[in-house]
Amino acid sequence: MAGRWGLASVLGGLGGGLGGVLTAGPVAMAAPTRASRPAWMSEPLYAALLEDLRSQAQMPSARAEALLAGVKLQARALRLAFPPPKIEPPGSPPTIPPSLSELALRQTLPDILAQGSSFVRSHSAAIDEVSAQFEVPPAVLLGILGVETRFGRIQGTFPTLDTLATLGFKGQRRQDFFLQELVALVRLSDALGRPVGSFAGSFAGALGIPQFMPSSYLRWARSHARVDRPADLFQRPEDALASVGNFLREHGWSAAHPVALPCRSADPDLDRWEVVGLQAQHTLGELIEAGAVAPRDAEGYSRRAPMSLIRLTEGTEPDTRWAVGPSFFAITHYNRSYRYAASVLALAGGLRGSLGISGPRWAGSRSVPLPLQG
């Protein structure tokens, strides 16, 4: 080609009488034009991303440049992921987060429980099979899918490639995380055999019925049919169930240990048994000796079971403490929030009560369903 024109077009425009022109020598070829970097992408991050796409996703530089040149800034996703600080007028009362009771109520509204009931009727065999395979109660599997996407009904419409690029280049924090997820998305598109621009999901880049980030999809997704095909977390609820079960088991879910137990004391001296991370650092026996857990609540469990106290805010009421074990923390690896885990367990409890399916044994704590065992 010469510029934008093919040789046939050139000859056609000149007419047949000038055929001798071809003996004058070859037509000069223009150098290929490199795709330009979008102005909102900083040069250092852009260069690093190109290298990561080359080294981790085996994407040639020219193809990576062309891919990024077509990315569009997602301003709405940026606002949702990093909302601006709320400025209250002088004299306004402080904003109070919802209590655990309010969170539980939000997750157990009749329409949500009805959606869960419909999902169970359609996929009861897969639910039972996945629960048996990964030793995760059906109610907990359903609790996660219900909180994440209302059992697959709300998977998100944000273009994932554009969203991850926006958060990676323009986000206020965790920029490297989102750019690495963009690289994982390219790898995922190759693994699934679908265009990288065809994915859509949440404003944070999460995908499918269980809302896995691309790297989690690559690592934890499982096909329930156990055949030689990739897991489809967009269209196959049974794959979503198996992938959630696999994720929880690999992050420490244990049927042998209590999920959570009520803390029976408000003694300030118990602060030393509290943790703020995602792992238990004490044992059930230590919490019993300290007076945090009543022996009657711990019947049937080894005193060596890993457990620690966590603190959950209750809005205008005094904070609540729970004694939690590895299974509770497995849920927090899905979303790094104690309140998220409490929401999942609240929905799990509501589903268990309304559907009669197996799951944790529950008791009330300020009207919030509290799991007592796996």
Side-chain angles (χ1 to χ4, degrees):
M1 296 184 65
R4 294 175 53 216
W5 302 98
L7 181 59
S9 300
V10 174
L11 293 179
L14 292 175
L18 295 179
V21 172
L22 293 177
T23 62
V27 178
M29 302 294 288
T33 302
R34 293 181 61 181
S36 59
R37 169 178 58 88
W40 52 274
M41 295 185 182
S42 69
E43 175 60 37
L45 290 177
Y46 179 80
L49 179 57
L50 290 179
E51 173 57 26
D52 287 344
L53 287 170
R54 184 196 66 78
S55 62
Q56 298 178 35
Q58 289 73 56
M59 178 175 277
S61 296
R63 184 180 161 208
E65 290 172 356
L67 177 70
L68 296 179
V71 167
K72 306 299 183 185
L73 183 71
Q74 296 294 309
R76 182 165 174 263
L78 192 62
R79 289 194 303 271
L80 290 171
F82 303 102
K86 201 172 196 180
I87 301 176
E88 301 286 356
S92 299
T95 301
I96 299 173
S99 67
L100 293 180
S101 299
E102 292 169 327
L103 286 177
L105 181 62
R106 293 178 185 179
Q107 297 301 336
T108 54
L109 294 173
D111 62 327
I112 298 175
L113 297 180
Q115 292 167 7
S117 178
S118 176
F119 186 89
V120 170
R121 286 195 300 270
S122 299
H123 307 288
S124 58
I127 292 168
D128 290 340
E129 290 165 4
V130 168
S131 177
Q133 179 182 357
F134 295 102
E135 297 187 304
V136 177
V140 174
L141 297 171
L142 293 167
I144 285 183
L145 297 188
V147 169
E148 289 293 341
T149 60
R150 294 295 181 247
F151 311 100
R153 293 168 179 261
I154 307 171
Q155 298 186 30
T157 58
F158 289 88
T160 307
L161 175 64
D162 296 1
T163 296
L164 291 172
T166 296
L167 300 181
F169 283 99
K170 303 296 287 184
Q172 299 172 11
R173 57 188 179 276
R174 303 183 74 195
Q175 288 180 296
D176 183 65
F177 167 79
F178 289 111
L179 293 179
Q180 286 301 305
E181 290 298 333
L182 189 155
V183 175
L185 180 69
V186 172
R187 294 173 53 211
L188 180 62
S189 74
D190 291 339
L192 298 182
R194 57 182 285 185
V196 69
S198 69
F199 292 91
S202 78
F203 64 79
L207 299 168
I209 299 169
Q211 292 291 277
F212 274 16
M213 294 300 288
S215 63
S216 292
Y217 199 129
L218 288 168
R219 186 170 185 182
W220 309 114
R222 292 293 181 271
S223 169
H224 175 60
R226 304 178 193 177
V227 297
D228 189 20
R229 66 161 175 82
D232 182 353
L233 302 188
F234 301 93
Q235 300 292 332
R236 293 181 178 270
E238 61 271 26
D239 287 359
L241 288 162
S243 300
V244 170
N246 181 56
F247 181 96
L248 291 177
R249 183 180 67 180
E250 294 300 316
H251 284 84
W253 186 278
S254 172
H257 300 140
V259 179
L261 298 171
C263 178
R264 300 295 187 182
S265 173
D267 188 342
D269 290 342
L270 294 178
D271 290 355
R272 63 185 292 243
W273 304 106
E274 288 184 15
V275 296
V276 294
L278 305 183
Q279 184 176 6
Q281 298 179 7
H282 311 99
T283 67
L284 176 57
E286 289 176 316
L287 298 186
I288 292 173
E289 289 294 326
V293 174
R296 66 179 183 276
D297 293 331
E299 289 180 3
Y301 294 114
S302 168
R303 295 299 191 262
R304 294 191 295 272
M307 294 202 82
S308 288
L309 299 182
I310 61 166
R311 183 181 295 267
L312 292 161
T313 58
E314 281 280 21
T316 58
E317 299 294 324
D319 293 348
T320 292
R321 284 192 182 109
W322 288 5
V324 298
S327 296
F328 181 91
F329 288 113
I331 301 175
T332 66
H333 280 281
Y334 207 100
N335 184 310
R336 294 172 178 257
S337 165
Y338 296 160
R339 293 171 72 83
Y340 170 83
S343 295
V344 167
L345 295 174
L347 177 53
L351 289 169
R352 179 180 179 270
S354 66
L355 301 174
I357 58 178
S358 63
R361 181 162 47 97
W362 303 86
S365 174
R366 297 192 185 177
S367 76
V368 178
L370 179 63
L372 297 183
Q373 70 179 27

